[in-house]
Amino acid sequence: MNFLAEKLGVSLETFKLTVAVFLLILGITAFYSFSGISTLVRVIGLLVFVGGAAAIVFQTELGRLLWQFVVDSRIEVRKVVWPSRQETLQTTLVVIAMVLVVGIVLWLFDLILMAILRFLTG
């Protein structure tokens, strides 16, 4: 009995995801098929199809896991200590200075190698 319930649950999940993908494809096809209609109306229709597909996906286990991931990600972003404006400016200036220094060193290295190559090849 348990095996049958699990199999039915998996097939229902697959069916829901298939219907959601079908709705997305149908919405995109309708958006481009009705090019004579106002763009605003077509976008609203596309958003209705995407919303319907999202509602179906969030009824599945995969959708619930995805939503939990989004919630957990937002919680983690709130924990981040963002740098101040002064720290960001100082770090940016250090990066720019180092890029310039490395660029000049590589340019000088290239000049030296070219001079050596010209000397060797005549």
Side-chain angles (χ1 to χ4, degrees), residues 15-34:
F15 177 73
K16 287 180 183 179
L17 291 174
T18 305
V19 169
V21 169
F22 177 73
L23 276 177
L24 282 177
I25 292 171
L26 185 66
I28 293 170
T29 304
F31 179 83
Y32 287 109
S33 296
F34 297 114

Side-chain angles (χ1 to χ4, degrees), residues 59-115:
Q59 299 301 315
T60 65
E61 184 64 30
L62 181 66
R64 286 188 284 276
L65 287 173
L66 177 67
W67 185 251
Q68 188 61 44
F69 175 75
V70 169
V71 170
D72 291 344
S73 297
R74 290 190 69 212
I75 291 170
E76 290 300 319
V77 166
R78 289 186 194 139
K79 293 179 183 178
V80 171
V81 179
W82 298 100
S84 67
R85 181 175 174 88
Q86 182 181 3
E87 290 171 333
T88 304
L89 183 63
Q90 289 174 347
T91 305
T92 303
L93 291 176
V94 167
V95 168
I96 290 171
M98 288 306 298
V99 166
L100 287 173
V101 167
V102 169
I104 290 170
V105 167
L106 289 175
W107 175 66
L108 290 173
F109 187 65
D110 184 52
L111 283 178
I112 292 169
L113 286 176
M114 284 301 285

Side-chain angles (χ1 to χ4, degrees), residues 5-22:
E6 286 179 14
K7 184 172 177 147
L8 182 63
V10 169
S11 64
L12 184 61
E13 297 273 318
T14 305
F15 177 73
K16 287 180 183 179
L17 291 174
T18 305
V19 169
V21 169
F22 177 73

